[in-house]
Amino acid sequence: MQSRANYLKAAPDVLQSMLALHMATRKSSLPPELLDLVDYRVSQINSCAFCLDMHSKDLRARGDTEQRLYMISAWRDAPHLYSPRERAALAWAEAVTRLVDQKVPDEVYDEARAEFSETELVQLTMAVISINGWNRLNIAFHTPAGNYKPSVK
């Protein structure tokens, strides 16, 4: 797939707002491992190859296991691999990404609120909004995947 444009260079002033949102979510009280896990799952849902490459490498660099990466699309069937907090975050991220019938079900909200404070849930929602935006940019402009090097140590 041929790259269509380098959106970072084409509109750097506009991209600063996306980067600011992303950085704000990374400075939130949520652990980076949880945010990477959510980013990976949302990128799977959206079929964003660039972001899947990035977040799988970041998760591995943080020490996450291959088994958890391989099983994330079936996380509901492997509850022993993910903590209750991670499962609530994944359910919330999926619901916010898919918006089935234009809503997030009350039971998903209730599960998320049992694991996250109101502030954390807003932070998580903004992280989901951010990765959905990045997915759409990378998919629209055919950003090539495979060359990402994690900066996570």
Coordinates of all heavy atoms in Angstrom, one line a residue, residues 78-151:
A78 N -11.0 -15.1 27.8 CA -9.8 -15.4 28.6 C -9.6 -14.5 29.8 O -8.6 -13.7 29.9 CB -8.6 -15.3 27.6
P79 N -10.6 -14.5 30.6 CA -10.6 -13.5 31.7 C -9.4 -13.6 32.7 O -9.0 -12.7 33.3 CB -11.9 -13.8 32.5 CG -12.3 -15.1 32.1 CD -11.8 -15.4 30.7
H80 N -8.8 -14.8 32.7 CA -7.7 -15.1 33.6 C -6.4 -14.3 33.1 O -5.5 -14.1 33.9 CB -7.3 -16.6 33.7 CG -7.0 -17.2 32.3 ND1 -7.9 -17.4 31.4 CD2 -5.8 -17.5 31.8 CE1 -7.3 -17.9 30.3 NE2 -6.0 -18.0 30.6
L81 N -6.4 -13.8 31.9 CA -5.3 -13.1 31.3 C -5.3 -11.6 31.6 O -4.3 -10.9 31.5 CB -5.2 -13.3 29.8 CG -4.8 -14.7 29.4 CD1 -4.8 -14.8 27.9 CD2 -3.5 -15.2 30.0
Y82 N -6.5 -11.1 31.9 CA -6.7 -9.6 32.1 C -7.3 -9.3 33.4 O -8.3 -10.0 33.8 CB -7.5 -9.1 30.9 CG -7.0 -9.5 29.6 CD1 -7.5 -10.6 28.9 CD2 -5.9 -8.8 29.0 CE1 -6.9 -11.0 27.7 CE2 -5.4 -9.1 27.8 CZ -5.9 -10.3 27.2 OH -5.4 -10.7 26.0
S83 N -6.8 -8.3 34.1 CA -7.4 -7.9 35.4 C -8.8 -7.4 35.2 O -9.2 -7.0 34.1 CB -6.5 -6.9 36.0 OG -6.7 -5.6 35.4
P84 N -9.6 -7.3 36.3 CA -10.9 -6.7 36.2 C -10.9 -5.3 35.7 O -11.7 -4.9 34.9 CB -11.5 -6.8 37.6 CG -10.8 -8.0 38.2 CD -9.4 -7.9 37.6
R85 N -9.9 -4.5 36.1 CA -9.7 -3.2 35.6 C -9.4 -3.1 34.1 O -10.0 -2.3 33.4 CB -8.6 -2.5 36.4 CG -8.4 -1.0 36.2 CD -7.5 -0.5 37.3 NE -7.0 0.8 37.0 CZ -7.6 2.0 37.3 NH1 -8.7 2.0 38.0 NH2 -7.0 3.1 37.1
E86 N -8.6 -4.0 33.7 CA -8.3 -4.1 32.2 C -9.5 -4.5 31.4 O -9.8 -3.9 30.4 CB -7.1 -5.1 31.9 CG -5.8 -4.6 32.4 CD -4.7 -5.7 32.3 OE1 -5.0 -6.9 32.5 OE2 -3.5 -5.3 32.1
R87 N -10.2 -5.5 31.9 CA -11.5 -5.9 31.2 C -12.5 -4.8 31.2 O -13.1 -4.6 30.1 CB -12.0 -7.2 31.9 CG -11.1 -8.4 31.7 CD -11.8 -9.7 32.1 NE -12.5 -9.7 33.3 CZ -11.9 -10.1 34.5 NH1 -10.6 -10.4 34.5 NH2 -12.6 -10.1 35.6
A88 N -12.6 -4.0 32.2 CA -13.5 -2.9 32.2 C -13.1 -1.8 31.2 O -13.9 -1.2 30.5 CB -13.7 -2.3 33.6
A89 N -11.8 -1.6 31.2 CA -11.2 -0.6 30.2 C -11.4 -1.1 28.8 O -11.8 -0.3 27.9 CB -9.8 -0.4 30.5
L90 N -11.2 -2.4 28.5 CA -11.4 -2.9 27.2 C -12.9 -2.8 26.8 O -13.2 -2.4 25.6 CB -10.9 -4.3 27.1 CG -9.4 -4.5 27.2 CD1 -9.0 -5.9 27.4 CD2 -8.7 -3.9 26.0
A91 N -13.8 -3.2 27.7 CA -15.2 -3.1 27.3 C -15.6 -1.7 27.1 O -16.4 -1.4 26.1 CB -16.0 -3.7 28.5
W92 N -15.1 -0.7 27.9 CA -15.5 0.7 27.7 C -14.9 1.2 26.3 O -15.6 1.8 25.6 CB -14.9 1.5 28.8 CG -15.2 3.0 28.7 CD1 -14.4 4.0 28.3 CD2 -16.5 3.6 29.0 NE1 -15.1 5.2 28.4 CE2 -16.4 4.9 28.8 CE3 -17.7 3.0 29.4 CZ2 -17.5 5.8 28.9 CZ3 -18.8 3.9 29.6 CH2 -18.6 5.3 29.4
A93 N -13.6 0.8 26.1 CA -13.0 1.3 24.8 C -13.8 0.7 23.6 O -14.0 1.4 22.6 CB -11.6 0.8 24.8
E94 N -14.2 -0.5 23.6 CA -14.9 -1.1 22.5 C -16.3 -0.4 22.3 O -16.7 -0.1 21.2 CB -15.1 -2.6 22.8 CG -13.9 -3.4 22.6 CD -14.1 -4.9 22.8 OE1 -15.2 -5.4 23.1 OE2 -13.1 -5.7 22.8
A95 N -16.9 -0.2 23.5 CA -18.3 0.5 23.4 C -18.2 1.9 22.8 O -19.0 2.3 22.0 CB -19.0 0.4 24.7
V96 N -17.2 2.6 23.3 CA -17.0 4.0 22.8 C -16.6 4.0 21.4 O -17.0 4.9 20.6 CB -16.0 4.8 23.7 CG1 -15.6 6.1 23.2 CG2 -16.6 4.9 25.1
T97 N -15.8 3.1 21.0 CA -15.3 3.0 19.6 C -16.4 2.6 18.6 O -16.6 3.2 17.6 CB -14.1 2.0 19.4 OG1 -13.1 2.5 20.2 CG2 -13.7 1.8 18.0
R98 N -17.2 1.6 19.0 CA -18.2 1.1 18.1 C -19.6 1.8 18.2 O -20.3 1.9 17.2 CB -18.5 -0.4 18.4 CG -17.3 -1.3 18.0 CD -17.6 -2.7 18.3 NE -16.6 -3.6 17.8 CZ -16.0 -4.6 18.4 NH1 -16.5 -4.9 19.6 NH2 -15.1 -5.3 17.8
L99 N -19.9 2.4 19.3 CA -21.2 3.1 19.5 C -22.4 2.4 18.9 O -23.1 2.9 18.0 CB -21.1 4.5 19.0 CG -20.2 5.4 19.8 CD1 -20.1 6.8 19.2 CD2 -20.7 5.6 21.3
V100 N -22.6 1.1 19.3 CA -23.7 0.3 18.7 C -25.0 1.0 19.1 O -25.2 1.4 20.2 CB -23.6 -1.1 19.3 CG1 -24.8 -1.9 18.8 CG2 -22.3 -1.8 18.9
D101 N -25.8 1.2 18.0 CA -27.1 1.9 18.2 C -26.9 3.3 18.8 O -27.7 3.8 19.5 CB -28.1 1.1 19.1 CG -28.5 -0.2 18.4 OD1 -28.6 -0.2 17.2 OD2 -28.7 -1.1 19.2
Q102 N -25.7 3.9 18.5 CA -25.4 5.2 18.9 C -25.4 5.4 20.5 O -25.7 6.5 21.0 CB -26.3 6.3 18.3 CG -26.2 6.2 16.8 CD -24.8 6.4 16.2 OE1 -24.1 7.3 16.5 NE2 -24.3 5.4 15.4
K103 N -25.0 4.4 21.2 CA -24.9 4.5 22.6 C -23.9 3.6 23.2 O -23.4 2.7 22.6 CB -26.3 4.2 23.3 CG -26.8 2.8 23.1 CD -28.1 2.6 23.7 CE -28.6 1.2 23.4 NZ -29.9 0.9 23.9
V104 N -23.5 3.9 24.5 CA -22.7 3.0 25.3 C -23.6 2.4 26.3 O -24.3 3.2 27.1 CB -21.6 3.8 26.0 CG1 -20.8 3.0 26.9 CG2 -20.6 4.4 24.9
P105 N -23.7 1.1 26.4 CA -24.7 0.5 27.3 C -24.5 0.8 28.8 O -23.3 0.9 29.2 CB -24.5 -1.0 27.0 CG -23.9 -1.1 25.7 CD -23.1 0.1 25.5
D106 N -25.5 0.9 29.5 CA -25.4 1.2 30.9 C -24.6 0.2 31.7 O -23.8 0.5 32.6 CB -26.8 1.3 31.6 CG -27.6 2.5 31.1 OD1 -27.0 3.5 30.7 OD2 -28.9 2.5 31.3
E107 N -24.7 -1.1 31.3 CA -23.9 -2.1 32.0 C -22.4 -2.0 31.8 O -21.6 -2.2 32.7 CB -24.4 -3.5 31.7 CG -24.4 -3.9 30.2 CD -25.6 -3.5 29.4 OE1 -26.5 -2.8 29.9 OE2 -25.7 -4.0 28.3
V108 N -22.0 -1.5 30.6 CA -20.6 -1.2 30.3 C -20.2 0.0 31.2 O -19.1 0.0 31.8 CB -20.4 -1.0 28.8 CG1 -18.9 -0.6 28.6 CG2 -20.7 -2.3 28.0
Y109 N -21.0 1.0 31.2 CA -20.7 2.2 32.1 C -20.6 1.7 33.5 O -19.6 2.1 34.2 CB -21.7 3.3 31.9 CG -21.5 4.4 32.9 CD1 -20.6 5.4 32.7 CD2 -22.3 4.5 34.1 CE1 -20.4 6.4 33.6 CE2 -22.1 5.5 35.0 CZ -21.1 6.4 34.7 OH -20.9 7.5 35.6
D110 N -21.5 1.0 34.0 CA -21.5 0.5 35.4 C -20.2 -0.3 35.7 O -19.6 -0.1 36.8 CB -22.7 -0.3 35.8 CG -24.0 0.6 35.7 OD1 -23.9 1.8 35.8 OD2 -25.1 0.0 35.6
E111 N -19.9 -1.1 34.8 CA -18.6 -1.9 35.0 C -17.4 -1.0 35.1 O -16.5 -1.2 35.9 CB -18.5 -3.0 33.9 CG -17.3 -3.8 34.0 CD -17.1 -4.8 32.8 OE1 -18.0 -4.8 31.9 OE2 -16.1 -5.5 32.8
A112 N -17.4 -0.1 34.2 CA -16.2 0.9 34.1 C -16.2 1.7 35.4 O -15.1 1.9 36.0 CB -16.3 1.7 32.9
R113 N -17.3 2.2 35.8 CA -17.4 3.0 37.1 C -17.0 2.2 38.3 O -16.5 2.8 39.3 CB -18.7 3.7 37.2 CG -18.9 4.9 36.4 CD -18.0 6.1 36.7 NE -18.5 6.7 37.9 CZ -17.7 7.0 39.0 NH1 -16.5 6.7 39.0 NH2 -18.3 7.6 40.0
A114 N -17.2 0.9 38.3 CA -16.8 0.1 39.4 C -15.2 0.0 39.5 O -14.7 -0.2 40.6 CB -17.4 -1.3 39.3
E115 N -14.6 0.3 38.4 CA -13.1 0.2 38.3 C -12.4 1.5 38.2 O -11.2 1.6 38.6 CB -12.7 -0.7 37.2 CG -13.1 -2.2 37.3 CD -12.4 -2.9 38.4 OE1 -11.3 -2.5 38.8 OE2 -13.0 -3.9 38.9
F116 N -13.1 2.5 37.8 CA -12.4 3.8 37.5 C -13.2 4.9 38.2 O -14.5 4.9 38.2 CB -12.4 4.1 36.0 CG -11.5 3.1 35.2 CD1 -12.1 2.0 34.6 CD2 -10.2 3.3 35.2 CE1 -11.3 1.1 33.9 CE2 -9.4 2.4 34.5 CZ -10.0 1.3 33.8
S117 N -12.5 5.9 38.7 CA -13.1 7.1 39.2 C -13.7 7.9 38.0 O -13.4 7.6 36.9 CB -12.1 8.0 39.9 OG -11.2 8.6 39.0
E118 N -14.6 8.8 38.4 CA -15.2 9.6 37.3 C -14.1 10.3 36.5 O -14.1 10.3 35.2 CB -16.1 10.7 37.9 CG -16.9 11.5 36.9 CD -17.9 12.4 37.5 OE1 -19.0 11.9 37.8 OE2 -17.6 13.6 37.8
T119 N -13.1 10.9 37.1 CA -11.9 11.5 36.4 C -11.2 10.5 35.6 O -10.9 10.8 34.4 CB -11.0 12.1 37.5 OG1 -11.7 13.1 38.2 CG2 -9.8 12.8 36.8
E120 N -10.9 9.4 36.1 CA -10.2 8.3 35.3 C -11.0 7.9 34.1 O -10.5 7.7 33.0 CB -9.9 7.1 36.2 CG -8.8 7.3 37.2 CD -8.7 6.2 38.1 OE1 -9.7 5.5 38.5 OE2 -7.5 5.9 38.6
L121 N -12.3 7.8 34.3 CA -13.2 7.4 33.2 C -13.2 8.4 32.0 O -13.2 8.1 30.9 CB -14.6 7.0 33.6 CG -15.4 6.3 32.6 CD1 -14.8 5.0 32.1 CD2 -16.8 6.0 33.2
V122 N -13.2 9.7 32.4 CA -13.1 10.8 31.4 C -11.7 10.7 30.7 O -11.6 10.8 29.5 CB -13.3 12.1 32.0 CG1 -13.0 13.3 31.0 CG2 -14.8 12.3 32.5
Q123 N -10.7 10.5 31.5 CA -9.3 10.3 30.9 C -9.3 9.1 30.0 O -8.7 9.3 28.9 CB -8.3 10.2 32.0 CG -8.1 11.4 32.9 CD -7.3 11.2 34.1 OE1 -7.1 10.0 34.6 NE2 -6.7 12.2 34.7
L124 N -9.8 8.0 30.4 CA -9.9 6.9 29.5 C -10.7 7.1 28.2 O -10.2 6.8 27.1 CB -10.5 5.7 30.3 CG -10.6 4.4 29.5 CD1 -9.2 3.8 29.0 CD2 -11.3 3.3 30.4
T125 N -11.8 7.8 28.4 CA -12.6 8.1 27.2 C -11.8 9.0 26.2 O -11.8 8.8 25.0 CB -13.9 8.8 27.6 OG1 -14.6 7.9 28.5 CG2 -14.8 9.1 26.4
M126 N -11.1 10.0 26.8 CA -10.3 10.9 25.9 C -9.2 10.1 25.2 O -8.8 10.4 24.1 CB -9.7 12.0 26.7 CG -10.8 13.0 27.2 SD -12.0 13.6 26.0 CE -10.9 14.6 25.0
A127 N -8.6 9.1 25.9 CA -7.6 8.2 25.3 C -8.2 7.4 24.1 O -7.6 7.3 23.1 CB -7.0 7.3 26.3
V128 N -9.4 6.9 24.3 CA -10.1 6.2 23.3 C -10.4 7.1 22.1 O -10.2 6.7 20.9 CB -11.4 5.5 23.8 CG1 -12.2 4.9 22.7 CG2 -11.0 4.5 24.9
I129 N -10.8 8.3 22.4 CA -11.1 9.3 21.3 C -9.8 9.6 20.5 O -9.8 9.6 19.3 CB -11.7 10.6 21.9 CG1 -13.1 10.3 22.4 CG2 -11.6 11.7 20.9 CD1 -13.7 11.4 23.2
S130 N -8.7 9.7 21.3 CA -7.4 10.0 20.7 C -7.0 8.9 19.7 O -6.6 9.1 18.6 CB -6.4 10.2 21.8 OG -5.1 10.4 21.2
I131 N -7.0 7.6 20.2 CA -6.5 6.5 19.4 C -7.4 6.3 18.2 O -7.0 6.0 17.1 CB -6.3 5.2 20.2 CG1 -5.6 4.2 19.3 CG2 -7.6 4.6 20.7 CD1 -4.2 4.6 18.8
N132 N -8.7 6.5 18.3 CA -9.6 6.5 17.2 C -9.2 7.5 16.1 O -9.2 7.2 14.9 CB -11.1 6.6 17.6 CG -11.7 5.3 18.0 OD1 -12.0 4.5 17.1 ND2 -11.9 5.1 19.3
G133 N -8.9 8.7 16.6 CA -8.4 9.7 15.6 C -7.1 9.4 14.9 O -7.0 9.5 13.7
W134 N -6.2 8.9 15.7 CA -4.9 8.4 15.1 C -5.2 7.3 14.1 O -4.6 7.3 13.0 CB -3.9 8.0 16.1 CG -3.4 9.1 16.9 CD1 -3.5 9.4 18.3 CD2 -2.6 10.3 16.4 NE1 -2.9 10.5 18.6 CE2 -2.3 11.1 17.5 CE3 -2.1 10.6 15.2 CZ2 -1.6 12.3 17.4 CZ3 -1.4 11.8 15.0 CH2 -1.1 12.6 16.1
N135 N -6.0 6.3 14.5 CA -6.3 5.2 13.5 C -6.9 5.8 12.2 O -6.5 5.4 11.1 CB -7.4 4.3 14.1 CG -6.9 3.4 15.3 OD1 -7.7 2.9 16.0 ND2 -5.6 3.3 15.5
R136 N -7.8 6.7 12.3 CA -8.4 7.3 11.1 C -7.4 8.0 10.2 O -7.4 7.9 9.0 CB -9.6 8.1 11.5 CG -10.8 7.2 11.8 CD -11.7 7.8 12.8 NE -12.9 7.0 13.1 CZ -12.9 5.8 13.8 NH1 -11.7 5.4 14.4 NH2 -13.9 5.1 14.0
L137 N -6.5 8.8 10.9 CA -5.5 9.5 10.1 C -4.5 8.5 9.4 O -4.3 8.6 8.2 CB -4.6 10.4 11.0 CG -5.2 11.7 11.3 CD1 -4.4 12.4 12.5 CD2 -5.2 12.6 10.1
N138 N -4.1 7.5 10.1 CA -3.2 6.5 9.5 C -3.8 5.6 8.5 O -3.2 5.3 7.5 CB -2.5 5.6 10.6 CG -1.5 6.4 11.4 OD1 -0.6 7.1 10.9 ND2 -1.7 6.5 12.7
I139 N -5.1 5.3 8.7 CA -5.8 4.5 7.6 C -6.1 5.4 6.4 O -5.8 4.9 5.3 CB -7.1 3.9 8.2 CG1 -6.8 2.8 9.3 CG2 -8.0 3.4 7.1 CD1 -8.0 2.4 10.1
A140 N -6.5 6.6 6.6 CA -6.9 7.5 5.5 C -5.6 7.8 4.6 O -5.7 7.8 3.4 CB -7.5 8.8 6.0
F141 N -4.5 7.9 5.2 CA -3.3 8.3 4.5 C -2.3 7.2 4.2 O -1.2 7.4 3.8 CB -2.6 9.5 5.2 CG -3.4 10.8 5.1 CD1 -4.1 11.3 6.2 CD2 -3.6 11.4 3.8 CE1 -4.8 12.4 6.1 CE2 -4.4 12.5 3.8 CZ -5.0 13.0 4.9
H142 N -2.8 5.9 4.5 CA -2.0 4.7 4.3 C -0.6 4.8 4.9 O 0.4 4.5 4.2 CB -1.8 4.5 2.8 CG -3.1 4.1 2.1 ND1 -3.1 3.9 0.7 CD2 -4.3 4.0 2.5 CE1 -4.3 3.6 0.4 NE2 -5.1 3.6 1.4
T143 N -0.5 5.2 6.1 CA 0.8 5.3 6.8 C 1.4 3.9 6.9 O 0.7 2.9 7.4 CB 0.6 5.8 8.2 OG1 0.0 7.1 8.2 CG2 2.0 6.0 8.9
P144 N 2.6 3.7 6.3 CA 3.2 2.3 6.3 C 3.5 1.8 7.7 O 3.9 2.5 8.6 CB 4.4 2.5 5.5 CG 4.7 3.9 5.3 CD 3.4 4.7 5.7
A145 N 3.2 0.5 7.9 CA 3.5 -0.2 9.1 C 4.7 -1.0 9.1 O 5.2 -1.4 8.0 CB 2.3 -1.1 9.5
G146 N 5.3 -1.3 10.2 CA 6.4 -2.2 10.3 C 7.7 -1.6 10.7 O 8.6 -2.3 11.1
N147 N 7.9 -0.3 10.7 CA 9.2 0.3 11.0 C 9.2 1.0 12.3 O 10.3 1.6 12.7 CB 9.5 1.3 9.9 CG 9.7 0.6 8.5 OD1 10.3 -0.4 8.4 ND2 9.2 1.3 7.5
Y148 N 8.2 0.9 13.1 CA 8.2 1.6 14.4 C 9.2 1.0 15.4 O 9.3 -0.3 15.5 CB 6.7 1.6 15.0 CG 6.7 2.1 16.4 CD1 6.6 3.5 16.6 CD2 6.6 1.3 17.5 CE1 6.5 4.1 17.8 CE2 6.5 1.9 18.8 CZ 6.5 3.2 18.9 OH 6.4 3.8 20.2
K149 N 9.9 1.8 16.1 CA 10.8 1.4 17.1 C 10.3 2.0 18.4 O 10.2 3.2 18.6 CB 12.2 1.9 16.8 CG 12.8 1.5 15.5 CD 13.3 0.1 15.4 CE 14.0 -0.2 14.2 NZ 13.3 -1.0 13.2
P150 N 10.0 1.1 19.4 CA 9.5 1.6 20.7 C 10.6 2.4 21.4 O 11.7 2.1 21.4 CB 9.1 0.3 21.4 CG 9.9 -0.8 20.8 CD 10.2 -0.3 19.4
S151 N 10.1 3.5 22.0 CA 11.0 4.3 22.9 C 10.8 3.9 24.4 O 11.5 4.4 25.2 CB 10.7 5.8 22.7 OG 9.3 6.0 23.0

